[in-house]
Amino acid sequence: GESVGLHLPTLSVQEGDNSIINCAYSNSASDYFIWYKQESGKGPQFIIDIRSNMDKRQGQRVTVLLNKTVKHLSLQIAATQPGDSAVYFCAESRGYQKVTFGTGTKLQVIP
Amino acid sequence: DADVTQTPRNRITKTGKRIMLECSQTKGHDRMYWYRQDPGLGLQLIYYSFDVKDINKGEISDGYSVSRQAQAKFSLSLESAIPNQTALYFCATSDWTGGVSNTGELFFGEGSRLTVL
């Protein structure tokens, strides 16, 4: 069945270092992936997306990598800042239908 | 004003009571979703609707029902609330069509925290 899982529940990173958040998905038919950031007390916010015909996509300080061979997705945050502290979710979809979320990774930035 | 508004933001109720969570949006999106979030867990899809006449069950629809009263309004009901439905509920919208210039971004409300005693 469809499932999206994360390897690490909590990630602590020194301010200024790069962060890498990983995500595994099980549905090989998934063709669209999104990363969301959820700050305390708020709804999730879109960070970046990638379609299955791509391996890499870059945004402002963020990069998403997709490895379809091993069904793995990662979010890289460059020069991590205190404002990056949040819970990060990967989400997947197939055929522009419903969106399924993973369990989340909490990113803690150490000043 | 928020683009996606959920009411109530907090609600405490008792087992067996009927509860309705309301969601309204000003984004003009056709797609609307209800998700549930439990502590330390991700978001689980309860129901989703791609237009006023379209209602679909998600992963955990048992014990819930929805109504899409208009393009802008999507309500979630718990006919007889039970304690394990205590959670944070999110409504979200999307205008996703799958086009190259279109993303599947979901726009979330601030959440409705429900406690069932």
Side-chain angles (χ1 to χ4, degrees):
Chain A
E2 296 178 7
S3 67
V4 180
L6 296 179
H7 295 302
L8 297 173
T10 304
L11 178 66
S12 295
V13 175
Q14 202 75 33
E15 181 179 355
D17 287 351
N18 296 335
S19 302
I20 299 176
I21 301 172
N22 295 303
C23 176
Y25 64 95
S26 62
N27 189 347
S28 58
S30 295
D31 55 16
Y32 183 70
F33 304 88
I34 313 172
W35 282 100
Y36 284 89
K37 172 185 180 183
Q38 185 178 27
E39 297 177 325
S40 181
K42 297 184 177 181
Q45 290 183 297
F46 175 91
I47 301 173
I48 192 168
D49 63 348
I50 188 168
R51 297 174 191 262
S52 59
N53 62 354
M54 302 173 69
D55 298 322
K56 177 179 180 179
R57 190 153 190 242
Q58 290 183 294
Q60 187 176 12
R61 281 202 307 118
V62 294
T63 300
V64 55
L65 299 178
L66 176 63
N67 185 330
K68 295 180 287 294
T69 301
V70 295
K71 296 197 284 278
H72 184 268
L73 191 69
S74 68
L75 176 70
Q76 300 179 0
I77 304 173
T80 311
Q81 303 169 359
D84 295 326
S85 293
V87 177
Y88 290 81
F89 294 97
C90 65
E92 60 92 12
S93 183
R94 175 169 56 91
Y96 314 114
Q97 298 300 312
K98 62 182 181 179
V99 178
T100 301
F101 283 77
T103 54
T105 291
K106 183 176 182 180
L107 177 63
Q108 295 179 325
V109 181
I110 304 167
Chain B
D1 289 341
D3 294 324
V4 183
T5 303
Q6 294 184 228
T7 55
R9 293 292 311 280
N10 289 282
R11 181 72 183 269
I12 300 174
T13 192
K14 295 182 178 180
T15 298
K17 294 292 188 180
R18 183 178 186 275
I19 296 296
M20 178 180 285
L21 305 179
E22 298 184 333
C23 177
S24 62
Q25 52 117 345
T26 58
K27 300 190 74 68
H29 291 170
D30 285 327
R31 298 188 173 199
M32 297 188 74
Y33 306 76
W34 274 106
Y35 284 91
R36 165 181 171 157
Q37 186 174 32
D38 294 283
L41 297 179
L43 287 82
Q44 295 175 281
L45 183 61
I46 308 173
Y47 272 96
Y48 59 106
S49 169
F50 285 172
D51 64 44
V52 175
K53 296 181 180 179
D54 176 75
I55 301 290
N56 303 281
K57 292 183 177 180
E59 304 158 315
I60 56 164
S61 59
D62 287 348
Y64 301 94
S65 63
V66 291
S67 174
R68 186 80 185 266
Q69 301 95 323
Q71 185 203 39
K73 295 184 182 296
F74 192 35
S75 300
L76 176 71
S77 293
L78 288 69
E79 296 301 325
S80 179
I82 56 177
N84 75 2
Q85 291 178 311
T86 293
L88 183 58
Y89 291 85
F90 285 103
C91 174
T93 74
S94 167
D95 64 350
W96 196 15
T97 60
V100 174
S101 61
N102 180 248
T103 76
E105 178 179 0
L106 297 176
F107 296 84
F108 285 86
E110 293 293 308
S112 295
R113 187 170 298 279
L114 177 65
T115 302
V116 183
L117 302 176

